Structures are given as structure tokens and as C-alpha cells.
Amino acid sequence: MKAGEDARGVRSEGPRKLGLCVLCGLPAAGKSTLARALSHRLRQERGWAVGLVAYDDVMPDAFFEEANPLPSQWKLLRQELLKYLENFLLAVINGCQMSAPPNRTEAMWEDFITSLKDQDLISSAAPEAPSHYLLTKTAVSRPLFLILDDNFYYQSMRYEVYQLARKYSLGFCQVFLDCSLETCLQRNGQRPQPLPAETIHLMGSKIERPNPEKNAWEHNSLTLQSPACSSEASLKLTDLLLTALENPIKYVEDNVEQKETDRIICSTNILHQVDQTLRRAVSQTMKEAKDEQLLPYKLKLLAEELNKLKAEFLEDLRQGNKKYLCFRETIDLSDVISFFHYEKDNIVQKYFSKQH
């Protein structure tokens, strides 16, 4: 380890005020409108550097154009985007250039880079080094908040961002924009490229709001009613972000041996519970599919896919191979169930999209 660096390879020359803010809620709840207004206000009134990362703008267009994209593709792209964010954060923390990752989805990387350039956070390096980017004075001299604008409708999606914040001792907060399903459907219908209504209905039935009472890591969360344009909402938002910046998450270095011991103990304790819970989830899903009069041959294929998914989740718990369960901490039952429902819903949606 180099002098002046900690276990993460991060220089410890002095505290930088850095934060991650997750905006979550149903499609058409008003998140992007809120994100743009918040970014503008923080730059103008606070003098902060702000990086707004809108997932819909950065994810490859080709992915959204596919009729039935695989859930695994979506998951991999989200994780890849988090890697891009980590690359940028490391450059800011260490005061160095940002390099393009060797394995990347070119279209998504280019959109990510363009977004940072447009917000005066990076500039291109010398022509002889096209895959390297220089940080701007704005990015390195002011408090910096990255605002992530997406649905983040499962707790597990938000937890991955929290893990990134904890890894580098950043501030972390969540804003849930509460909007009725009917209003979201109405707004969605007025968009040039609306989502299928069934997608919003499904998300509305499965969305997991921040729950600070249950999850300690969600304690710095705020729920706002859409549209969140009042002065009171603005004050609450500012207070939330200030609190996050002033109270970064404490970094705890992983103890590999202890982590593996905890994983084995926890896996033994909850394996039976998970098995029973996933069985019930599969059974209930198949009942709902029959009620919706899914064709018999599709019912058979759906049952095969869901049972395969269940088996893979149980294998993850037994072996820790992390195909689905990518937490770095001791596995928690609610996290496993949340991840399973996420993958299950994507499979089910694929079958009903075909039906319609």
C-alpha cells in the first residue's frame, strides 16, 4: 500500500465533501423534473458541483428498443453504470485523471462521459490519450453531489448505491417522490414515448419505499409528495443533503474471514426460510398466471423458468457464488426475497408482454 493511502487506494489528504443522492419513485412521478430543479438550485444557491445521472439518458437506446430484454442484461448494465460512477469518484477523491474502463458498453460510456462534460465536471485529456479525462476545477474545488435519477423501486437497487457510498465514506441520502398510480399513468400517456401501462402497474404493486425504521442504512431518507415544488419541500431537501454531506458513512474494511464465517452461519439459519418463502412466491405467481388465462404451454415454460430461478437463488445461498446475491455483508432474508421478486417480476412481465 502506498503512503498516504488507505485500504481502498484512496488518498487521505483531507476531507472532501462528497455525496450520493438516490431519487426513487414510479415512472412519471416527476423525478427528472425535481432532479433538474434541485441540481440548478444547488449550483446557483450553494455553489456546489452537481452531477445529475439520469439512467434513462445513459442506458443504451438499443436495450430499451428490445421487445423483451433479459433481466440479467438490465442488472448487468446497472452494475456497469455504478462502476462508471466509482471510476469518477476515485478520480475526484485522488485528484487524478479518470480512465475509461477496459470492459465497457461503448454507447453507455460515451453517454456517461457526455453527461459529465455537459455539467462541467470533466474535460477531454490530450488527443494522444483519448480514453483519459481531466477533472475540471468545479469538480475538485467544491462540495460535490451526484444525484441518481431512476425508479430504484426495489430496496436492493438502492442498497448497491449505499454500498458505494460506504466504500468511500461519502454522504448518502434518498428521496422518494410519492405520486398516485393514476397520476403517473396519466402523465406517462402524455409522453412522446410512453412506457407500457402494465409496466407501471406492475412496478406500482412491487415498489419498496424507503423504510428507515426497518433498515438503519435508510435513515437519511425523505418522502415528498409530487409535484415537489413548494418552498417547504425545497428546504427539506436542502436539509437532507446538508445532513448527508456533514455525516458521511463510516468506512469499515472488509474482514474476509469473518465475512465468510458470517455467510455460512447466516446461510444455514435462513436457507430453510428462504426455500419456503420462494416456494410460496412461485406458487402464488403461477396461480395469478392461471387466473390471467395464460396459455397452457406458456404456463409450463413460466413454471420451469421460475423453478430454475428459485434453485439458482438457493444455490447462491449455499455456495456464495454471487450470481444474484451481490451483497458484501451478511445475507439478510429480506434482501434475498427482494432480489428474487425483482428477477421473478421481470420473467413474468416477459410472458405477459408476449401475450399482449
Side-chain angles (χ1 to χ4, degrees), residues 141-213:
S141 63
R142 307 178 185 182
L144 170 65
F145 237 109
L146 295 181
I147 300 173
L148 310 187
D149 171 16
D150 192 33
N151 301 308
F152 288 105
Y153 65 97
Y154 276 130
Q155 168 223 303
S156 53
M157 298 172 175
R158 305 191 297 269
Y159 188 68
E160 290 179 332
V161 182
Y162 169 82
Q163 285 181 309
L164 181 60
R166 187 184 55 196
K167 183 177 180 181
Y168 296 106
S169 298
L170 311 178
F172 174 80
C173 61
Q174 300 180 130
V175 178
F176 179 78
L177 201 53
D178 195 5
C179 187
S180 71
L181 181 62
E182 293 74 20
T183 300
C184 290
L185 289 167
Q186 182 181 15
R187 291 176 180 172
N188 176 68
Q190 297 168 353
R191 289 178 164 179
Q193 294 179 308
L195 289 173
E198 57 265 26
T199 298
I200 299 179
H201 275 287
L202 179 63
M203 204 177 293
S205 67
K206 301 298 182 182
I207 195 165
E208 297 173 348
R209 299 171 177 237
N211 189 347
E213 282 136 13

Side-chain angles (χ1 to χ4, degrees), residues 6-235:
D6 66 11
R8 300 157 289 171
V10 174
R11 292 179 187 173
S12 52
E13 295 173 347
R16 277 294 313 278
K17 290 190 175 182
L18 305 172
L20 289 172
C21 176
V22 170
L23 287 184
C24 50
L26 290 175
K31 299 182 300 299
S32 297
T33 301
L34 174 63
R36 289 190 293 268
L38 177 61
S39 300
H40 178 76
R41 188 160 52 80
L42 292 177
R43 294 185 186 110
Q44 296 298 314
E45 297 180 9
R46 291 279 168 180
W48 292 358
V50 181
L52 171 57
V53 181
Y55 278 47
D56 286 351
D57 294 340
V58 176
M59 290 290 187
D61 289 337
F63 176 82
F64 292 106
E65 290 166 2
E66 291 184 30
N68 294 290
L70 295 174
S72 57
Q73 289 177 303
W74 177 241
K75 183 178 178 181
L76 288 172
L77 284 173
R78 294 179 67 89
Q79 291 176 345
E80 185 177 340
L81 182 51
L82 280 180
K83 285 293 183 184
Y84 297 172
L85 289 167
E86 185 171 7
N87 269 19
F88 174 66
L89 287 168
L90 274 173
V92 172
I93 293 167
N94 286 322
C96 61
Q97 294 184 10
M98 181 176 71
S99 301
N103 300 315
R104 60 186 182 272
T105 303
E106 200 61 42
M108 184 162 72
W109 173 251
E110 287 302 322
D111 285 342
F112 177 71
I113 290 299
T114 299
S115 175
L116 295 185
K117 286 182 177 179
D118 289 346
Q119 297 176 87
D120 191 30
L121 296 176
I122 62 170
S123 61
S124 296
E128 61 270 18
S131 62
H132 289 74
Y133 303 89
L134 301 173
L135 298 175
T136 63
K137 183 179 179 181
T138 299
V140 299
S141 63
R142 307 178 185 182
L144 170 65
F145 237 109
L146 295 181
I147 300 173
L148 310 187
D149 171 16
D150 192 33
N151 301 308
F152 288 105
Y153 65 97
Y154 276 130
Q155 168 223 303
S156 53
M157 298 172 175
R158 305 191 297 269
Y159 188 68
E160 290 179 332
V161 182
Y162 169 82
Q163 285 181 309
L164 181 60
R166 187 184 55 196
K167 183 177 180 181
Y168 296 106
S169 298
L170 311 178
F172 174 80
C173 61
Q174 300 180 130
V175 178
F176 179 78
L177 201 53
D178 195 5
C179 187
S180 71
L181 181 62
E182 293 74 20
T183 300
C184 290
L185 289 167
Q186 182 181 15
R187 291 176 180 172
N188 176 68
Q190 297 168 353
R191 289 178 164 179
Q193 294 179 308
L195 289 173
E198 57 265 26
T199 298
I200 299 179
H201 275 287
L202 179 63
M203 204 177 293
S205 67
K206 301 298 182 182
I207 195 165
E208 297 173 348
R209 299 171 177 237
N211 189 347
E213 282 136 13
K214 177 183 176 185
N215 305 311
W217 62 271
E218 293 192 293
H219 75 279
N220 205 19
S221 300
L222 175 66
T223 296
L224 295 175
Q225 295 295 321
S226 177
C229 53
S230 68
S231 57
E232 182 183 1
S234 295
L235 287 173

Side-chain angles (χ1 to χ4, degrees), residues 251-265:
Y251 169 71
V252 180
E253 187 174 351
D254 282 339
N255 181 321
V256 177
E257 290 185 7
Q258 184 61 46
K259 184 173 69 173
E260 178 63 13
T261 300
D262 290 345
R263 186 195 67 76
I264 293 171
I265 292 172

